[in-house]
Amino acid sequence: MKDYFQNDVPILLKLSEHKELLDGFPGESGDSQFDARLIYNQRRPEEAQLIIYYKPSDHLYEKFRALAEAGTSILDLVNPALSPYKWVNPEFFEFSESSLIDFHGTNYFDHDKKSVILVIRNFCLFQNGRYAADARFSLADNAISHLTGYIQYGQLGTYDSDDKFIERNHNRWTRFGPVEFMLSLSHSYKQGEPKKDFVITRDAQLALRDDSEKVKDLELLSLGEDLCLLMSLYWEKNIDFFNALLRVNDRDNFGTREVFKLSGENFDSSQEFHLKDKYQNIYDFADSVNFEKFQTFRELIQEAVPRLVRIKHLDDISAFMVLYNIVEKFRNYFLNEPLDGSAFTVKEEYAFTGSESSINKFIKKKIKEIGEIVADADKQEFDSKAFEKVSFIKKTGLIDQFEGFIKYLHLDPDDYDVEFGQLIKVRNLIYHGNPPDRDLSLCNKELKALVYDIILAIIA
């Protein structure tokens, strides 16, 4: 069932700076006010629409099309119209973080006006009055299957806090940096005929609580995004929100910022995930996470988590390369960014005796001797490229870099039932287009365990 809401909003179109381009169109091309209507869905992830009404003589759709073809951002032209009266504080929208999916004109009239429809991926709406809580995020469907383990529904009756549906609730407020959070299933019901028949509709929600009331709306939004990332890591699937209600405390007379986002998650009903046995629930997992460390490495985790989610839908070879690449990304990151002030270094070259010039001279001499047994057909090419191998001969193996990195994080390489030298060999085979010489399912299982241990080592 689709639940559409609409807001009638006056808008100001700033066309004056494009007057030269629009000179060929009849009518005015200056900044003008138009009536508009925002239509959106608060119950499901769905694109929003802004319908702009205009007189046929304004030729607005044709102007938009000309501007778009010239590379102008149409949403940059759209601004909320401010009231001329100081005591009137209208609700208004914000498109600063929005993106335009499409726009199209219509062939019908609404009274004496035509309309052009902008299809929008996301936007913010500021509403008058004070919202009762600090922040509430409506989560897409991937979270619902897990919340049923936290909330037990019974028959119609009076149970928890006079709630007529919930028999047992294991949810709890849990600290996450400056706020506390809790998951829940909000529900509504429609009673049919006869009266004993009714339908319950349940929606997964994430609530934030800020006792200080000092955390601003955009900070609350960022914290909600962080918790979605944390849940995605824990449940090993994409957890995202599509609607957020945020308390505003830094704008005069506005109580709520409502964020609409076209969430792009793919539905995943699976109940199995790597951390299931290690942490009983998302709250225990959140308790184990150091908030400051999570913020420090947020971008690194944000890059790794979608890949961990994606490997469930890949073949073994592709999954192996993704997992291998994640480990490499973390290793390379900490080569440049020390963890807890402790620098991570790897042995790049073997230790040789003598000066740099004498070492290179000796290696080149040996390479030249090897050239004496190269076939005549290949000798010219070998002689031209052989000395490029000096650095390669001096390098240590990648296995030292992997095991060194694992020990750097205070993990034990022996905990993983794989030989890192063999992993590197498999990677090189695949990279050069050759089939691996072994079953990769065990390698992938151990690599995945290593990736999770690496992440927990830096944020726990």
Side-chain angles (χ1 to χ4, degrees), residues 163-290:
D163 193 304
K164 295 179 175 59
F165 296 96
I166 297 178
E167 180 178 355
R168 187 167 63 253
N169 191 341
H170 295 298
N171 277 341
R172 58 182 169 89
W173 288 102
T174 301
R175 175 62 56 182
F176 185 72
V179 300
E180 291 181 305
F181 79 95
M182 185 169 69
L183 295 165
S184 65
L185 282 172
S186 68
H187 52 260
S188 58
Y189 68 95
K190 291 187 177 180
Q191 191 163 301
E193 293 293 340
K195 290 186 177 181
K196 64 180 180 180
D197 295 330
F198 58 90
V199 177
I200 303 174
T201 303
R202 297 165 182 161
D203 297 300
Q205 292 192 338
L206 164 69
L208 303 189
R209 185 167 67 186
D210 167 33
D211 291 335
S212 72
E213 294 194 355
K214 293 180 180 179
V215 182
K216 296 181 180 179
D217 52 335
L218 290 180
E219 294 172 303
L220 291 169
L221 180 63
S222 180
L223 289 165
E225 292 170 341
D226 289 346
L227 284 165
C228 284
L229 178 60
L230 195 70
M231 288 186 284
S232 299
L233 174 62
Y234 176 64
W235 282 319
E236 210 174 312
K237 62 178 66 172
N238 185 26
I239 305 296
D240 201 1
F241 72 91
F242 60 89
N243 176 259
L245 286 171
L246 310 164
R247 174 258 301 142
V248 177
N249 59 355
D250 60 344
R251 289 176 182 250
D252 291 339
N253 301 318
F254 284 99
T256 303
R257 175 196 288 264
E258 187 166 11
V259 178
F260 296 88
K261 184 172 71 168
L262 184 56
S263 172
E265 72 169 22
N266 294 318
F267 180 66
D268 184 349
S269 61
S270 64
Q271 293 290 301
E272 298 302 317
F273 49 96
H274 181 76
L275 296 177
K276 189 173 186 177
D277 295 329
K278 189 175 181 67
Y279 301 98
Q280 185 176 359
N281 53 55
I282 184 63
Y283 303 114
D284 290 347
F285 180 52
D287 282 335
S288 75
V289 171
N290 182 294

Side-chain angles (χ1 to χ4, degrees), residues 133-152:
D134 295 304
R136 187 179 70 206
F137 298 81
S138 296
L139 304 178
D141 288 344
N142 276 348
I144 292 180
S145 61
H146 294 284
L147 288 185
T148 54
Y150 297 63
I151 301 172
Q152 180 67 47

Side-chain angles (χ1 to χ4, degrees), residues 351-370 386-387 389-391 393-394:
F352 294 93
T353 59
S355 65
E356 182 75 13
S357 59
S358 65
I359 294 167
N360 291 343
K361 185 177 180 181
F362 182 88
I363 295 174
K364 289 178 180 179
K365 180 182 177 182
K366 294 301 178 183
I367 292 174
K368 189 173 183 180
E369 291 176 6
I370 294 171
F387 291 159
K389 303 298 183 182
V390 173
S391 295
I393 292 172
K394 294 165 69 176

